Amino acid sequence: MKKIKRSTLIPSLLFVYLCVMAYIGRKEFFSGNYLFYFGVIGVTLVCIVLLHFVLKRKERILGNK
C-alpha cells in the first residue's frame, strides 16, 4: 500500500474542513455579505496552497539527507 504524503494529506483534510465550514456559514452569503464570505474562503484557500508547497519543500529537503 502506498503511503500518502503529508504534503497532500493535511491540505486535503483542511480543504474538506473549509467546504464544511463554507456550507455552515452560507447564512452570511444569503444575508448579502458576499465580500466577507468569499474573502474568508479565498484567504483560507491561499493558506492551504501555501501550506502544501511548504510541506512539499520540507519533504524534499529532509528526503535528501
Side-chain angles (χ1 to χ4, degrees):
M1 184 173 166
K2 187 174 179 182
K3 184 178 177 184
I4 299 174
K5 293 184 178 181
R6 186 177 282 185
S7 65
T8 303
L9 180 65
I10 293 174
S12 298
L13 292 173
L14 288 173
F15 180 72
V16 170
Y17 177 74
L18 172 64
C19 291
V20 171
M21 289 292 108
Y23 180 77
I24 291 172
R26 71 189 184 281
K27 186 168 58 168
E28 289 292 326
F29 176 75
F30 292 130
S31 68
N33 296 328
Y34 305 117
L35 183 61
F36 176 75
Y37 183 77
F38 289 115
V40 169
I41 291 174
V43 169
T44 307
L45 281 174
V46 168
C47 291
I48 290 172
V49 169
L50 289 175
L51 175 66
H52 169 72
F53 287 117
V54 167
L55 290 174
K56 196 163 208 55
R57 182 171 184 252
K58 182 179 174 184
E59 287 174 353
R60 190 180 71 237
I61 289 172
L62 293 178
N64 290 336
K65 289 186 176 184

mmCIF file of all heavy atoms in Angstrom, residues 20-47:
data_model
loop_
_atom_site.group_PDB
_atom_site.id
_atom_site.type_symbol
_atom_site.label_atom_id
_atom_site.label_comp_id
_atom_site.label_asym_id
_atom_site.label_seq_id
_atom_site.Cartn_x
_atom_site.Cartn_y
_atom_site.Cartn_z
ATOM 1 N N VAL A 20 -16.912 22.232 4.527
ATOM 2 C CA VAL A 20 -17.945 22.083 5.565
ATOM 3 C C VAL A 20 -18.233 23.437 6.218
ATOM 4 O O VAL A 20 -19.398 23.806 6.429
ATOM 5 C CB VAL A 20 -17.519 21.039 6.609
ATOM 6 C CG1 VAL A 20 -18.453 21.031 7.807
ATOM 7 C CG2 VAL A 20 -17.460 19.648 5.982
ATOM 8 N N MET A 21 -17.198 24.188 6.518
ATOM 9 C CA MET A 21 -17.394 25.495 7.151
ATOM 10 C C MET A 21 -18.086 26.472 6.204
ATOM 11 O O MET A 21 -18.898 27.300 6.632
ATOM 12 C CB MET A 21 -16.054 26.081 7.609
ATOM 13 C CG MET A 21 -15.449 25.371 8.784
ATOM 14 S SD MET A 21 -16.425 25.616 10.281
ATOM 15 C CE MET A 21 -17.134 24.026 10.494
ATOM 16 N N ALA A 22 -17.798 26.386 4.913
ATOM 17 C CA ALA A 22 -18.472 27.249 3.938
ATOM 18 C C ALA A 22 -19.957 26.908 3.866
ATOM 19 O O ALA A 22 -20.805 27.798 3.729
ATOM 20 C CB ALA A 22 -17.831 27.097 2.561
ATOM 21 N N TYR A 23 -20.267 25.631 3.973
ATOM 22 C CA TYR A 23 -21.673 25.223 3.976
ATOM 23 C C TYR A 23 -22.382 25.714 5.240
ATOM 24 O O TYR A 23 -23.499 26.229 5.176
ATOM 25 C CB TYR A 23 -21.775 23.697 3.860
ATOM 26 C CG TYR A 23 -23.201 23.205 3.866
ATOM 27 C CD1 TYR A 23 -23.992 23.328 2.735
ATOM 28 C CD2 TYR A 23 -23.769 22.644 5.006
ATOM 29 C CE1 TYR A 23 -25.301 22.896 2.725
ATOM 30 C CE2 TYR A 23 -25.074 22.209 5.012
ATOM 31 C CZ TYR A 23 -25.841 22.334 3.870
ATOM 32 O OH TYR A 23 -27.140 21.908 3.885
ATOM 33 N N ILE A 24 -21.718 25.582 6.364
ATOM 34 C CA ILE A 24 -22.314 26.039 7.621
ATOM 35 C C ILE A 24 -22.492 27.558 7.618
ATOM 36 O O ILE A 24 -23.487 28.080 8.108
ATOM 37 C CB ILE A 24 -21.457 25.582 8.817
ATOM 38 C CG1 ILE A 24 -21.555 24.062 8.972
ATOM 39 C CG2 ILE A 24 -21.880 26.276 10.098
ATOM 40 C CD1 ILE A 24 -20.602 23.480 9.989
ATOM 41 N N GLY A 25 -21.530 28.286 7.038
ATOM 42 C CA GLY A 25 -21.579 29.739 7.032
ATOM 43 C C GLY A 25 -22.312 30.341 5.859
ATOM 44 O O GLY A 25 -22.220 31.546 5.612
ATOM 45 N N ARG A 26 -23.063 29.547 5.134
ATOM 46 C CA ARG A 26 -23.762 30.064 3.953
ATOM 47 C C ARG A 26 -24.817 31.100 4.306
ATOM 48 O O ARG A 26 -25.262 31.841 3.443
ATOM 49 C CB ARG A 26 -24.368 28.926 3.149
ATOM 50 C CG ARG A 26 -25.543 28.250 3.784
ATOM 51 C CD ARG A 26 -25.948 26.996 3.036
ATOM 52 N NE ARG A 26 -27.141 26.399 3.585
ATOM 53 C CZ ARG A 26 -27.203 25.654 4.669
ATOM 54 N NH1 ARG A 26 -26.103 25.400 5.343
ATOM 55 N NH2 ARG A 26 -28.342 25.165 5.109
ATOM 56 N N LYS A 27 -25.180 31.189 5.586
ATOM 57 C CA LYS A 27 -26.131 32.217 6.013
ATOM 58 C C LYS A 27 -25.555 33.608 5.767
ATOM 59 O O LYS A 27 -26.287 34.533 5.410
ATOM 60 C CB LYS A 27 -26.466 32.029 7.493
ATOM 61 C CG LYS A 27 -27.555 32.971 7.976
ATOM 62 C CD LYS A 27 -28.106 32.630 9.353
ATOM 63 C CE LYS A 27 -27.050 32.611 10.399
ATOM 64 N NZ LYS A 27 -27.593 32.570 11.767
ATOM 65 N N GLU A 28 -24.239 33.760 5.913
ATOM 66 C CA GLU A 28 -23.582 35.037 5.611
ATOM 67 C C GLU A 28 -23.745 35.381 4.128
ATOM 68 O O GLU A 28 -23.978 36.526 3.781
ATOM 69 C CB GLU A 28 -22.091 34.963 5.952
ATOM 70 C CG GLU A 28 -21.791 34.930 7.418
ATOM 71 C CD GLU A 28 -22.128 36.232 8.115
ATOM 72 O OE1 GLU A 28 -21.985 37.310 7.497
ATOM 73 O OE2 GLU A 28 -22.536 36.170 9.278
ATOM 74 N N PHE A 29 -23.637 34.392 3.279
ATOM 75 C CA PHE A 29 -23.790 34.603 1.841
ATOM 76 C C PHE A 29 -25.212 35.036 1.511
ATOM 77 O O PHE A 29 -25.429 35.980 0.766
ATOM 78 C CB PHE A 29 -23.434 33.314 1.088
ATOM 79 C CG PHE A 29 -23.661 33.399 -0.384
ATOM 80 C CD1 PHE A 29 -22.795 34.109 -1.193
ATOM 81 C CD2 PHE A 29 -24.743 32.770 -0.970
ATOM 82 C CE1 PHE A 29 -22.999 34.184 -2.559
ATOM 83 C CE2 PHE A 29 -24.962 32.838 -2.336
ATOM 84 C CZ PHE A 29 -24.088 33.550 -3.131
ATOM 85 N N PHE A 30 -26.181 34.343 2.085
ATOM 86 C CA PHE A 30 -27.579 34.649 1.783
ATOM 87 C C PHE A 30 -28.039 35.973 2.394
ATOM 88 O O PHE A 30 -28.995 36.572 1.916
ATOM 89 C CB PHE A 30 -28.496 33.517 2.247
ATOM 90 C CG PHE A 30 -28.325 32.250 1.457
ATOM 91 C CD1 PHE A 30 -28.147 31.043 2.094
ATOM 92 C CD2 PHE A 30 -28.336 32.276 0.068
ATOM 93 C CE1 PHE A 30 -27.990 29.874 1.365
ATOM 94 C CE2 PHE A 30 -28.177 31.110 -0.671
ATOM 95 C CZ PHE A 30 -28.001 29.906 -0.014
ATOM 96 N N SER A 31 -27.336 36.422 3.422
ATOM 97 C CA SER A 31 -27.705 37.713 4.011
ATOM 98 C C SER A 31 -27.066 38.883 3.266
ATOM 99 O O SER A 31 -27.298 40.039 3.612
ATOM 100 C CB SER A 31 -27.326 37.748 5.486
ATOM 101 O OG SER A 31 -25.927 37.743 5.644
ATOM 102 N N GLY A 32 -26.266 38.604 2.247
ATOM 103 C CA GLY A 32 -25.716 39.667 1.409
ATOM 104 C C GLY A 32 -24.275 40.031 1.702
ATOM 105 O O GLY A 32 -23.743 40.951 1.099
ATOM 106 N N ASN A 33 -23.612 39.326 2.587
ATOM 107 C CA ASN A 33 -22.206 39.609 2.907
ATOM 108 C C ASN A 33 -21.283 38.824 1.983
ATOM 109 O O ASN A 33 -20.510 37.973 2.410
ATOM 110 C CB ASN A 33 -21.916 39.255 4.373
ATOM 111 C CG ASN A 33 -22.705 40.098 5.331
ATOM 112 O OD1 ASN A 33 -23.001 41.249 5.046
ATOM 113 N ND2 ASN A 33 -23.051 39.535 6.464
ATOM 114 N N TYR A 34 -21.351 39.138 0.694
ATOM 115 C CA TYR A 34 -20.607 38.383 -0.310
ATOM 116 C C TYR A 34 -19.099 38.541 -0.148
ATOM 117 O O TYR A 34 -18.355 37.570 -0.249
ATOM 118 C CB TYR A 34 -21.018 38.804 -1.724
ATOM 119 C CG TYR A 34 -22.495 38.712 -1.978
ATOM 120 C CD1 TYR A 34 -23.250 39.842 -2.272
ATOM 121 C CD2 TYR A 34 -23.143 37.489 -1.920
ATOM 122 C CE1 TYR A 34 -24.605 39.757 -2.505
ATOM 123 C CE2 TYR A 34 -24.501 37.383 -2.148
ATOM 124 C CZ TYR A 34 -25.218 38.526 -2.441
ATOM 125 O OH TYR A 34 -26.563 38.423 -2.664
ATOM 126 N N LEU A 35 -18.656 39.770 0.072
ATOM 127 C CA LEU A 35 -17.225 40.023 0.188
ATOM 128 C C LEU A 35 -16.642 39.292 1.391
ATOM 129 O O LEU A 35 -15.573 38.684 1.296
ATOM 130 C CB LEU A 35 -16.962 41.529 0.300
ATOM 131 C CG LEU A 35 -15.502 41.942 0.345
ATOM 132 C CD1 LEU A 35 -14.796 41.511 -0.940
ATOM 133 C CD2 LEU A 35 -15.388 43.436 0.540
ATOM 134 N N PHE A 36 -17.339 39.335 2.511
ATOM 135 C CA PHE A 36 -16.864 38.638 3.706
ATOM 136 C C PHE A 36 -16.812 37.133 3.458
ATOM 137 O O PHE A 36 -15.812 36.476 3.750
ATOM 138 C CB PHE A 36 -17.769 38.949 4.899
ATOM 139 C CG PHE A 36 -17.413 38.190 6.147
ATOM 140 C CD1 PHE A 36 -16.302 38.547 6.888
ATOM 141 C CD2 PHE A 36 -18.180 37.114 6.562
ATOM 142 C CE1 PHE A 36 -15.963 37.848 8.033
ATOM 143 C CE2 PHE A 36 -17.856 36.405 7.701
ATOM 144 C CZ PHE A 36 -16.744 36.778 8.439
ATOM 145 N N TYR A 37 -17.878 36.581 2.906
ATOM 146 C CA TYR A 37 -17.983 35.134 2.686
ATOM 147 C C TYR A 37 -16.877 34.637 1.753
ATOM 148 O O TYR A 37 -16.133 33.723 2.091
ATOM 149 C CB TYR A 37 -19.364 34.810 2.117
ATOM 150 C CG TYR A 37 -19.633 33.345 1.898
ATOM 151 C CD1 TYR A 37 -19.947 32.509 2.958
ATOM 152 C CD2 TYR A 37 -19.581 32.797 0.624
ATOM 153 C CE1 TYR A 37 -20.200 31.169 2.750
ATOM 154 C CE2 TYR A 37 -19.836 31.452 0.409
ATOM 155 C CZ TYR A 37 -20.149 30.640 1.475
ATOM 156 O OH TYR A 37 -20.401 29.315 1.279
ATOM 157 N N PHE A 38 -16.776 35.262 0.581
ATOM 158 C CA PHE A 38 -15.773 34.808 -0.382
ATOM 159 C C PHE A 38 -14.368 35.253 0.005
ATOM 160 O O PHE A 38 -13.388 34.606 -0.375
ATOM 161 C CB PHE A 38 -16.131 35.285 -1.788
ATOM 162 C CG PHE A 38 -17.315 34.574 -2.351
ATOM 163 C CD1 PHE A 38 -18.490 35.262 -2.627
ATOM 164 C CD2 PHE A 38 -17.276 33.217 -2.592
ATOM 165 C CE1 PHE A 38 -19.587 34.608 -3.151
ATOM 166 C CE2 PHE A 38 -18.374 32.549 -3.111
ATOM 167 C CZ PHE A 38 -19.532 33.244 -3.384
ATOM 168 N N GLY A 39 -14.243 36.324 0.758
ATOM 169 C CA GLY A 39 -12.936 36.761 1.240
ATOM 170 C C GLY A 39 -12.325 35.751 2.192
ATOM 171 O O GLY A 39 -11.140 35.402 2.079
ATOM 172 N N VAL A 40 -13.123 35.266 3.122
ATOM 173 C CA VAL A 40 -12.639 34.265 4.071
ATOM 174 C C VAL A 40 -12.274 32.977 3.332
ATOM 175 O O VAL A 40 -11.231 32.368 3.594
ATOM 176 C CB VAL A 40 -13.692 33.998 5.171
ATOM 177 C CG1 VAL A 40 -13.320 32.786 5.995
ATOM 178 C CG2 VAL A 40 -13.861 35.214 6.052
ATOM 179 N N ILE A 41 -13.114 32.565 2.398
ATOM 180 C CA ILE A 41 -12.823 31.351 1.626
ATOM 181 C C ILE A 41 -11.539 31.532 0.806
ATOM 182 O O ILE A 41 -10.688 30.640 0.764
ATOM 183 C CB ILE A 41 -14.011 30.974 0.725
ATOM 184 C CG1 ILE A 41 -15.190 30.507 1.583
ATOM 185 C CG2 ILE A 41 -13.619 29.902 -0.283
ATOM 186 C CD1 ILE A 41 -16.462 30.251 0.811
ATOM 187 N N GLY A 42 -11.383 32.686 0.175
ATOM 188 C CA GLY A 42 -10.199 32.938 -0.640
ATOM 189 C C GLY A 42 -8.910 32.961 0.159
ATOM 190 O O GLY A 42 -7.913 32.345 -0.229
ATOM 191 N N VAL A 43 -8.929 33.645 1.294
ATOM 192 C CA VAL A 43 -7.732 33.710 2.146
ATOM 193 C C VAL A 43 -7.379 32.318 2.671
ATOM 194 O O VAL A 43 -6.204 31.929 2.705
ATOM 195 C CB VAL A 43 -7.944 34.707 3.306
ATOM 196 C CG1 VAL A 43 -6.851 34.592 4.345
ATOM 197 C CG2 VAL A 43 -8.031 36.125 2.770
ATOM 198 N N THR A 44 -8.388 31.551 3.038
ATOM 199 C CA THR A 44 -8.149 30.204 3.532
ATOM 200 C C THR A 44 -7.568 29.315 2.437
ATOM 201 O O THR A 44 -6.654 28.520 2.689
ATOM 202 C CB THR A 44 -9.444 29.591 4.092
ATOM 203 O OG1 THR A 44 -9.997 30.487 5.052
ATOM 204 C CG2 THR A 44 -9.182 28.256 4.744
ATOM 205 N N LEU A 45 -8.074 29.433 1.217
ATOM 206 C CA LEU A 45 -7.526 28.649 0.108
ATOM 207 C C LEU A 45 -6.067 29.000 -0.164
ATOM 208 O O LEU A 45 -5.247 28.119 -0.430
ATOM 209 C CB LEU A 45 -8.358 28.857 -1.154
ATOM 210 C CG LEU A 45 -9.661 28.088 -1.228
ATOM 211 C CD1 LEU A 45 -10.446 28.516 -2.467
ATOM 212 C CD2 LEU A 45 -9.417 26.597 -1.248
ATOM 213 N N VAL A 46 -5.742 30.279 -0.092
ATOM 214 C CA VAL A 46 -4.353 30.702 -0.286
ATOM 215 C C VAL A 46 -3.464 30.086 0.790
ATOM 216 O O VAL A 46 -2.370 29.571 0.494
ATOM 217 C CB VAL A 46 -4.238 32.243 -0.296
ATOM 218 C CG1 VAL A 46 -2.793 32.693 -0.205
ATOM 219 C CG2 VAL A 46 -4.891 32.812 -1.538
ATOM 220 N N CYS A 47 -3.921 30.087 2.036
ATOM 221 C CA CYS A 47 -3.150 29.489 3.134
ATOM 222 C C CYS A 47 -2.964 27.989 2.932
ATOM 223 O O CYS A 47 -1.881 27.449 3.186
ATOM 224 C CB CYS A 47 -3.828 29.752 4.470
ATOM 225 S SG CYS A 47 -3.790 31.473 4.987
#
